[in-house]
Structure formats: structure tokens, C-alpha cells
Amino acid sequence: MRPALLAALALCFLVIAGCGAPPGPTTGTVVIGVTSELRAGVELARMRVVLRAGGELLREDVLPQKSGQLFFPREFFFSDLEDGTAVEIFLEAFGAEDAERPLLARTASTRVIGGRTLLLPVRLERECAVAPGDPTCPAPQTCVAGGCSAPDVDPRRLAPYSASWNADAEPDACKPSGGGAPVVAVGEGQADYFPLEDLDEVQVEAGPQGGFHIFVAIRLKNLRRSGSITVVSGLVPELGYAIEPLKIIFTLDQDEGGFCKLAGLRFRLDGERTIDELLGKVVDVEVTVTDADGDTGTGRRKVTLSQTLL
């Protein structure tokens, strides 16, 4: 073969080898989006979360409701993992703080696709809640829509992740699109919301573990149903006494007319002042609710504490 032809072939080989298509992306991300039909703080008291990637434990946490860590919707990220890496989430939801057996268990898994950020939705469903002694799905199956299914999901079936994934899939009844500014009305009630006018009398009650309280309730709109932080504070102007605030995260209940509500906020009154000093006094009660979007609503009501204890 002529030397010139050999040189041309060698040059062609080098061009093909060096100028071919670049290798595809080698890492990707999977976001687990968790929602729940069971309400945090009402039906669920804590949740155990276990995350694994490539068979290795990445995270294991217990999220208690009483510390404000248990709320829905929420996201768990498997970020920048090699293409093809298997990822898995295991959830155990407990109905009481001291419960040993979970009310519901859920497993979901998929694999990373390089160059993509995928959303794997996981829903805790009422149909999958079990009573003590009831059978559960045999491993490795998991409960989905009341039946036992394989936990693995083909990543090719998953949609790209979007920050508004839950808003697109499930409109929030407490914060509809275009609903306007947040509104918070302060009332009373242990099991339901009852409206109050300024200076209405509210009953002071003795707490089961000491202290004295009133039950505050709120009715609100245009704030997220889950994950919103509610802060109750109060001031007794006559005494210049600021009551220690109550800060909680509860899932809201849907109400009529586009409103949602939250009752049974046990607002303790005594602390630096004795209850005898406070009975019959006027309290400026303020409730502020801030949701996961950063939107805030505030309601205020002057209430008169009862002269007697219940």
C-alpha cells in the first residue's frame, strides 16, 4: 500500500477517534416527593425515614411531629449519583409517639439516569394503614392503593422534577391558585372553630400536666394546608405581661367557603404570673401562620379571661 494512502487512513482514524460524539452525562438526581392522606399531628405522630443509594445507607432519621419536623408535602434528594445507581426510600409512619408498630410502611425505589433530575412520587395512603395484628405486605413488596406491589419503578416512566410538582398534581384546598392575600381569623374551641368578638369571655382550664390554658382556634385561607408554622402569642396590657408563645406545625382541616381551620391550640397562660393574677383580665391574642412558600397571615383578637377555672 502506498505510504500516502497509509498516512491518509491513519489521519482518518485519528479524526474519527478524537472528534466523535462526546460521552453523555454520567451523573443524575432523583427527588422523592412524599405526600400523605394521613394528617400529621392528628393521625401521625412520627415517621422513620431510611434512604439508601447503591445499597449503602445514606440517611436514617425519625421525624417527630411535636418538634415540627413531620409535615407534608416534603422532598428527599438523591443528588449527583452515577448513572444506573439504585436508590430507595423506606418510610414507617407511627400513629402515636410511644407506638412500637408502624401504622403504615412504604418502600419505593428506582435508578438514576445520567443527565436527568427525576421525580419519584410516594403517597402514604389510608388504604395501606393497618391495625395491630393485621397482616402486612410480605417483603420485598410494599402497599400501594391498598394492594401489595413491587416497590421498584422504571426510571423511564418518571417525569422530570419540577419545584411545583405537588401544586400541579394536587391543588391545595387551603391555598388555591390566585386566591389572594392570606386571611387569619382568631376564635376559640378545642374540637372545632367558634368565632369570637373582641372582649368576649373565654374559659380558662386547668391542664392535665399542670398549668392553665385557653383553647385557641383559627379559620384561615390562602396558606398551605401542610407544613405551615402557627405561632400563638399574647399580651396582658394591664400587667405588661407577655405570655410565652406557642409554636406548632399541624395539618389544617378543610372548612366551608374556601377556608381551612385549626382548633385545639392549648395556649398556656401562667408562667411568670400566677393564674390568680390573670383571671378576668383582657388578653391581646395574636396568631401568625407562615407557610412553606414564605407567605404569612396574622389574626388578632382581644379576649376576656373567665373569672373561674374549669
Side-chain angles (χ1 to χ4, degrees):
M1 185 177 292
R2 295 178 181 178
L5 179 57
L6 287 173
L9 289 173
L11 178 61
C12 181
F13 175 78
L14 291 173
V15 169
I16 292 173
C19 301
T26 59
T27 63
T29 296
V30 174
V31 183
I32 312 289
V34 181
T35 57
S36 177
E37 294 178 358
L38 301 168
R39 295 174 296 170
V42 179
E43 297 160 287
L44 298 181
R46 74 183 197 276
M47 183 171 69
R48 178 171 169 251
V49 181
V50 181
L51 304 180
R52 291 186 173 89
E56 299 293 327
L57 179 66
L58 294 186
R59 171 181 173 183
E60 182 173 0
D61 284 328
V62 174
L63 308 178
Q65 183 279 326
K66 64 182 181 181
S67 67
Q69 297 181 60
L70 182 57
F71 59 86
F72 304 98
R74 66 182 311 137
E75 300 174 343
F76 299 94
F77 283 77
F78 293 92
S79 300
D80 300 324
L81 298 178
E82 289 295 322
D83 179 75
T85 302
V87 297
E88 178 188 90
I89 185 169
F90 175 66
L91 303 171
E92 286 184 319
F94 295 83
E97 283 294 334
D98 57 353
E100 296 183 2
R101 184 184 181 189
L103 179 66
L104 184 152
R106 179 77 160 88
T107 305
S109 60
T110 190
R111 290 167 300 285
V112 171
I113 295 180
R116 299 184 62 188
T117 299
L118 303 176
L119 171 69
L120 175 58
V122 175
R123 187 160 180 80
L124 305 183
E125 300 160 311
R126 293 185 188 280
E127 296 169 290
C128 292
V130 294
D134 284 355
T136 60
C137 292
Q141 293 186 322
T142 192
C143 183
V144 180
C148 295
S149 302
D152 195 59
V153 179
D154 188 333
R156 294 170 297 181
R157 295 170 48 198
L158 299 179
Y161 169 75
S162 166
S164 59
W165 62 270
N166 189 60
D168 294 340
E170 183 181 331
D172 193 324
C174 299
K175 191 177 184 180
S177 177
V183 175
V184 177
V186 178
E188 65 174 337
Q190 181 176 3
D192 203 351
Y193 169 86
F194 298 96
L196 287 171
E197 299 294 333
D198 277 342
L199 301 180
D200 278 354
E201 182 178 287
V202 293
Q203 180 63 54
V204 179
E205 302 185 22
Q209 298 179 342
F212 299 88
H213 63 268
I214 58 175
F215 281 110
V216 175
I218 56 174
R219 191 168 186 258
L220 67 163
K221 67 190 319 184
N222 302 324
L223 290 161
R224 292 286 179 197
R225 183 177 185 185
S226 298
S228 292
I229 301 172
T230 301
V231 180
V232 184
S233 57
L235 175 69
V236 184
E238 183 178 337
L239 302 176
Y241 169 51
I243 303 170
E244 182 178 353
L246 168 68
K247 181 179 180 180
I248 53 92
I249 300 179
F250 280 155
T251 299
L252 307 173
D253 294 318
Q254 193 170 350
D255 201 7
E256 299 175 348
F259 281 84
C260 288
K261 61 185 177 181
L262 183 60
L265 303 177
R266 194 190 300 268
F267 186 42
R268 181 168 176 172
L269 303 168
D270 55 326
E272 295 181 2
R273 297 281 186 165
T274 66
I275 194 60
D276 290 337
E277 296 177 273
L278 300 176
L279 292 176
K281 297 293 192 294
V282 172
V283 180
D284 295 337
V285 176
E286 179 178 284
V287 182
T288 298
V289 182
T290 303
D291 69 12
D293 299 330
D295 292 326
T296 299
T298 300
R300 300 177 179 86
R301 184 66 67 202
K302 293 180 181 291
V303 300
T304 304
L305 302 181
S306 63
Q307 296 278 1
T308 57
L309 297 172
L310 185 63

